[in-house]
Amino acid sequence: MRFFATAAKGTEPALRDELRELRFRRVRADRGGVHFEGELIEGARACLWSRVAVRVLLEVASFDAGDAQALYEGVRAIRWDAWMTPRSTVAVRASCRSSRMTHSQFVAQRTKDGIVDAVRTEAGERPDVDRDDPDVLVAVHLARDRATVYLDVGGGSLHERGWRARSGEAPLRETLAAAILRLSGWDRERPLIDPMCGAGTIAIEAAAWARRMAPGLSRERFGFERWTDHGDAMRARVCDLRDAARAEARADGPPVYASDVDPLAVERTRANALRAGVSLVVETRDVRRLAPLDPPGFVVTNPPYGERMDAEASVIEDLARALRRLQGHTVAILAGSPAIGRAMRSEPERWWILHNGPIECRLLLYAIRGARGGGTGDPS
Ligand SMILES: C[S@@+](CC[C@H](N)C(=O)[O-])C[C@H]1O[C@@H](n2cnc3c(N)ncnc32)[C@H](O)[C@@H]1O
């Protein structure tokens, strides 16, 4: 079976490396995600173990679809009864690129028509649509007038790990935090700090990754577990996968620190870490008082941007001054504006363009030189 794991724009190389490390087969990065192959259980394993993948999609058909009729016919020809009955609910997500049909909602609608008509022809009744919680979530991607139809193996976006309290804030997505950590080159052994932690996403992802906690374990069930072909044999295999994932987790990991000037953010991080089952050293601290880690380690952070210009400039100056002192540390900054790059006063070793939702950001990676080994104390 052919799978396509989707990734936030710019994080495809991180996802490719992750899937290779997890020993998936025929892993190949592409625009918007990474291809891999295997039995359905491999799709399940990707949902359970990938931290960077946003969705895991199973390809079910690919055909030319230059117009609405061709799309409808192509979808209708698929044997939907393998995955659904008239009692199943369905939803369709669509995306279009460089094609004559440009309205994704229209493409989704025609795809849905093809599915329900196919099921009605086979089984005499049509399935209902449930946009919020469908049994079968279908994705259709139209590129250069060719449609590829997928089933969403996870049944939704995998960034939700189950620990985040609803807060009204706009934190980093867990999947993007995981990609940043991977791109930073963190070895999961040295200490790590996020000195502007907000809700704690980066620090929690770091601690969970270092402890080999499977990110999908918190999900009660994945999308494929609601498909009609999900029988006892597959159920047993998925049960084994989950048991093996539980056994894989390490009891401890390197120290992970999180701090923020805002006591409410600190409280939120503490509560989130507790729910995530990871232990962090969390405290209220202004970044101006950031101390070196001992031994020197990694700083991975996402400073504020899009605030009042003068306020942003002064925070960014404070952050850059604090970071430049951290000899021997590796620093990764997800920057939403060019200010921090200038304030660091040196070229980054590496950088990447990443998308935090609609915002184009740069991930800047610095090795702070001049280490003579050892820091001056831990930040707590
Ligand atoms: C973009 S948010 C970080 C979001 C975080 N990555 C998350 O996922 O929730 C930036 C954070 O920087 C914090 N901050 C602003 N000025 C600070 C300072 N001088 N020292 C420490 N933290 C600061 C803010 O309170 C805010 O929580």
Side-chain angles (χ1 to χ4, degrees):
M1 289 175 162
R2 288 174 6 165
F3 296 93
F4 186 64
T6 69
K9 213 165 154 191
T11 66
E12 297 92 340
L15 178 56
R16 176 201 56 209
D17 293 352
E18 178 186 60
L19 294 182
R20 285 196 177 139
E21 195 178 292
L22 290 168
R23 299 177 182 279
F24 285 94
R25 284 196 297 119
R26 295 180 179 266
V27 172
R28 180 171 58 83
D30 203 342
R31 184 180 173 141
V34 176
H35 302 272
F36 67 96
E37 293 181 16
E39 289 178 55
L40 183 56
I41 194 74
E42 287 292 89
R45 193 165 71 83
C47 291
L48 193 59
W49 276 104
S50 175
R51 293 174 197 283
V52 181
V54 176
R55 291 175 188 274
V56 175
L57 305 175
L58 166 65
E59 185 177 323
V60 294
S62 184
F63 49 87
D64 290 329
D67 57 33
Q69 191 58 27
L71 174 68
Y72 173 82
E73 298 293 346
V75 171
R76 214 186 142 149
I78 298 168
R79 291 299 309 264
W80 292 99
D81 56 349
W83 305 291
M84 59 197 298
T85 71
R87 281 178 302 286
S88 311
T89 54
V90 64
V92 181
R93 303 173 71 250
S95 53
C96 311
R97 176 166 60 86
S98 315
S99 297
R100 271 174 278 178
M101 285 187 278
T102 52
H103 285 94
S104 52
Q105 262 183 335
F106 176 72
V107 169
Q109 184 73 28
R110 288 310 282 157
T111 303
K112 186 268 299 171
D113 292 344
I115 297 169
V116 298
D117 288 350
V119 175
R120 186 170 30 208
T121 304
E122 283 296 318
E125 273 179 86
R126 47 162 286 170
D128 285 332
V129 170
D130 181 342
R131 285 198 184 81
D132 298 327
D133 186 27
D135 294 317
V136 181
L137 179 56
V138 176
V140 55
H141 181 59
L142 201 58
R144 290 193 201 87
D145 292 324
R146 194 162 175 85
T148 308
V149 180
Y150 303 95
L151 300 184
D152 192 318
V153 182
S157 173
L158 300 172
H159 77 275
E160 287 170 16
R161 316 278 206 230
W163 50 256
R164 191 186 291 286
R166 302 266 162 261
S167 69
E169 302 287 310
L172 220 52
R173 279 197 167 194
E174 294 79 344
T175 39
L176 182 58
I180 290 169
L181 286 161
R182 186 168 273 280
L183 292 170
S184 78
W186 186 45
D187 56 5
R188 290 164 266 175
E189 298 292 338
R190 277 180 281 177
L192 181 142
I193 183 167
D194 179 357
M196 295 180 138
C197 66
T201 318
I202 292 173
I204 292 169
E205 274 302 311
W209 187 29
R211 285 189 43 199
R212 294 198 215 114
M213 296 166 74
L217 261 185
S218 61
R219 287 189 175 242
E220 228 168 89
R221 59 180 179 167
F222 292 112
F224 72 89
E225 293 174 270
R226 295 166 70 171
W227 300 347
T228 44
D229 68 343
H230 188 61
D232 287 345
M234 185 67 176
R235 236 183 298 276
R237 292 181 79 184
V238 175
C239 195
D240 288 348
L241 262 191
R242 287 199 169 100
D243 286 346
R246 273 183 214 102
E248 182 91 2
R250 285 167 48 179
D252 48 22
V256 176
Y257 304 94
S259 54
D260 199 289
V261 75
D262 176 1
L264 277 179
V266 167
E267 271 321 301
R268 221 176 287 135
T269 296
R270 279 208 181 99
N272 284 337
L274 196 66
R275 269 191 299 273
V278 297
S279 102
L280 306 178
V281 182
V282 189
E283 64 165 3
T284 308
R285 178 183 284 246
D286 193 299
V287 75
R288 283 177 293 183
R289 296 197 300 117
L290 177 64
L293 300 167
D294 184 16
F298 279 68
V299 182
V300 182
T301 198
N302 162 220
Y305 51 86
E307 305 194 350
R308 255 187 26 242
M309 284 290 269
D310 50 344
E312 181 178 319
S314 106
V315 172
I316 292 301
E317 271 304 326
D318 289 344
L319 171 65
R321 199 172 304 118
L323 293 175
R324 290 197 309 264
R325 287 198 304 262
L326 299 184
Q327 296 177 352
H329 291 61
T330 300
V331 169
I333 310 166
L334 183 69
S337 81
I340 184 71
R342 284 195 293 268
M344 287 299 286
R345 298 192 197 154
S346 64
E347 288 298 313
E349 305 272 312
R350 296 188 68 182
W351 59 274
W352 297 262
I353 294 178
L354 303 182
H355 283 75
N356 181 10
I359 305 162
E360 185 179 292
C361 298
R362 276 182 173 51
L363 178 67
L364 308 171
L365 188 69
Y366 298 90
I368 310 294
R369 307 265 174 229
R372 282 185 294 277
T376 55
D378 83 34
S380 51

